[in-house]
Amino acid sequence: MGYRLLTILLFLLIHCLSSTAQDDIALVKQNIREWFATQKADATEIDSLLTGLDENGAWDDIDYTIKQRGDWPVMYHLDRLLSLSIAFVTNDTLLSDSLGNKKKILAAYDYFVTNNFTNTNWWNNVIGIQRSLGPITILLEDHLSNSVVKKGMEILKRPEIGKTGQNKVWLAGNVIYRAVMQSDTALLRASSNAIKEEITVTDGEGIQADYSFHQHGPQQQFGNYGLHYAEQMIFWGAVLDSTRYAFSETQKGILRHFLFDGLRWVSMYNQFDISACGRQLFPDEQLRKDRLFQRILEDFSALDEKSQLRSTVSEGNKYFWNSDYMLHHQERFASSIKMSSTRVLGAEAGNDENMLGYHLGDGAMYIYRNGKEYLNIFPFWDWRKIPGTTTRQDTLPLPVLNWSGYHNQSDFVGACSNKRIGIAAMNYNRDSLNALKSWFMFEDAVVCVGSGIQSKRMGPVVTSINQCYLSGKVIVADNEYIRALGKGEHFFENLQWVVHDSIGYYFFYNQQVVIEKNAGSGNWKKVVAYLPEVSMEEELFSMTIEHGDAPEGGTYAYCVVPGVDRSTMESYYRYQLLENTDAVHAVMDGKKERYGIVFFKERGLMLSKNLGVGVNHPAIVMLEVNSEGLVLNLSDPSCLQDALEVTIIGNYSSSDTKFSNDLKNGETTFFVDLPDGKRAGSSVEIFIKRSQLHHP
């Protein structure tokens, strides 16, 4: 157990025993000071910060005149001052006037509040500044003059309780700093209650019923607002602990579910999944977000005795039906699929961030084996070929999104999961391009199927299988001729399989495949406009399926098999493609007697000689045969139906749902109630027992 965790546990225990004799204002202020006392920077960093401060209290390497909306350099002043303030109140050597450190630190505070810096971005002016200036003021309060504190308080008075989701939490938290500095109990009560109001499951902005997180409308925001929500909630939970404003056990339970049934799923190989990062695709950002999450888990274990300090999920599959987002963790790999619909936004751009993310919610599928595949790849990507997507290859610059983001104009987007494996499906309808797309996620592979690919505008259309860093050889099997590819662009019409970086790709039939091994050049400025324009190069591996110019009825079908080598792929035929049409995508697992079916239309399908299944409206069906009968997992991706009729060839019965036998035709129909409300689109599991009845 680390020093930070022990310190937090100790101060929570002390206050739990003694808080009844203390005023809430004084206790909250003391808790804030003790919390930040656990976050000391190392001595070398402190020495560097002190050395860089000039006599006016400014740092020469900060341009205080820049007004950029994102990553505002003026905020660095407060970040550094917070580190110095923590060191100042926890380290006696910094109190020595002979070192002049106290004078420097207080000058840095005076410099900021006297200049009263503001930005064109409202967030910086009422959230960003105060969430650092508040604790700094509380830490340095006993050493600041009344006139300087007055200047600081004018800035701390800007925030007012309002907004929704994490923005509301930030604002209310900033008001708490003002409340304790003013000894305003009414304001402390109002701001504390505002924070606790956001510890709830909602269909607005905040925690969703599936434990994903929305902000800026119906948009998955795990790694941006959701991550900071978790960080702030654990902080305020500790600060308010043992006061009359402490979090209830119910509220702690909601936070526990959000951390362990939500956020923890997007942690993959010590980094956050790309699709969880939202618009914040910055250098090393995936790593930073995961490090913050690990710290949050540790801090929460001090606040909540029921929490489990486990940083990653065990093997399994999770579909966030409120966010069109599937995560898949298995022994040899992890994967994710991000979609969008009429209900869920695909992506956003703002503050000059995510300038190229036009297709991030169009069925992006990433495959992770070690975490190096895509780390910091964004300057080099061809953003029209995001892995998993089917897109038109225009020569014009990609449109830049705004805060409103975009919707895929289809409601048939969703998934079915039994917590071990899952199927995701999307009727893609955007920019005059249509495609029916499915992903069958098994324990050792992902089968990807597409049909109905049609473009109403001219221009070539491709499906991107993968686009990642080149790592080692690219081995291909073409017409039973196996070879390693050289650099450049390679075209295939009858490719059987490919192996690159321990990931195999198997093709179910002949398709027009293009593989590229090339050096990609780029710079971060094209991704995030305020970053430097420094040219860099990396070698990339890219594999796409070409559907032609303005295709009508294009298809694809391939299987991604992580954790394999050439010898494995030479005899890999585990999964069979049963159907790939505009009506049905169906796959069979040949090792286990189980099937995955996406019904895009009301249809029936024979799976084997004696087994068939049909539905009365579009749905996803997972079917597994066992010794007693069948296990069915079902979902309605449209989220519009309240019930589903499933017809099975043969005589069956079930205690899980109503059914009727048609002995004449040898069929059994099951009537399944589907989830509604906040759980619409989630999966239902039923068990079907094979009947002893005989056909007439």
Side-chain angles (χ1 to χ4, degrees), residues 66-73 76 119 121 124 279-283 285 288 350-355 403 523-534:
I66 291 180
K67 297 290 186 180
Q68 70 186 35
R69 292 173 58 84
D71 196 27
W72 186 29
Y76 301 161
N119 187 262
N121 184 350
N124 288 317
R279 70 176 192 274
Q280 295 185 328
L281 301 178
F282 311 143
E285 188 66 16
R288 277 194 293 269
N351 296 339
D352 292 329
E353 299 162 357
N354 196 31
M355 305 298 289
W403 292 112
N523 63 80
W524 279 103
K525 190 174 184 64
K526 69 179 186 179
V527 182
V528 181
Y530 53 74
L531 292 181
E533 188 173 0
V534 179

Side-chain angles (χ1 to χ4, degrees), residues 22 41 53 94 98 109 135-136 163 167 169 173 192 198 200 252 310 373 455 473 583 591 597 627 661:
Q22 299 186 54
L53 264 176
L94 291 174
S98 64
Y109 185 96
I136 291 169
K163 303 290 184 180
N167 282 328
V169 175
S192 300
E198 293 305 305
T200 186
K252 290 179 184 179
R310 190 172 61 182
E373 294 84 357
S455 175
K473 295 181 179 180
K591 189 174 182 180
I597 312 108
S627 59
N661 293 102

